[in-house]
Amino acid sequence: MRQHGNWMQTPTDEQVLKVLDTGLMLGPTAIAKNIDKHRVTVSNRLRELCNYGLVERPEEGYYGITDLGEQYLEGELDASELDESTDES
């Protein structure tokens, strides 16, 4: 069972992570289209997921899931124990 953090917006954050768990690097517009959310909502959630280390931005405009993000989806990580990072890509 996944342990989400109080900072998370479920199910949106989980949907974003699942789309990125396909192994593709995607931008907010493509992710939004695939989860039926507005691009601005997805952009805001991506920023927050990056702050907590579940998502990374390897290239301007593109995002990918991190090892922590994969661990969260597999139920191996309690997201409530994550600290917000000040390192924004």
Side-chain angles (χ1 to χ4, degrees):
M1 185 165 114
R2 294 184 190 123
Q3 299 294 319
H4 66 274
N6 290 334
W7 55 271
M8 294 183 83
Q9 287 185 6
T10 52
T12 303
D13 288 356
E14 290 188 0
Q15 291 172 324
V16 168
L17 290 169
K18 286 178 187 176
V19 168
L20 292 174
D21 197 36
T22 61
L24 299 173
M25 284 192 342
L26 299 168
T29 302
I31 295 168
K33 186 72 169 172
N34 283 285
I35 66 171
D36 198 29
K37 298 287 181 187
H38 194 278
R39 183 197 57 79
V40 173
T41 299
V42 171
S43 291
N44 290 337
R45 298 318 305 155
L46 285 166
R47 187 175 310 109
E48 193 75 0
L49 290 166
C50 280
N51 286 343
Y52 283 91
L54 300 177
V55 169
E56 64 185 353
R57 190 173 76 174
E59 189 177 311
E60 181 75 28
Y62 291 94
Y63 296 82
I65 194 167
T66 64
D67 289 341
L68 282 179
E70 290 173 354
Q71 289 172 22
Y72 170 77
L73 286 179
E74 293 168 6
E76 299 172 358
L77 174 75
D78 183 346
S80 67
E81 296 178 356
L82 297 174
D83 290 329
E84 186 172 11
S85 170
T86 56
D87 179 20
E88 293 185 24
S89 299

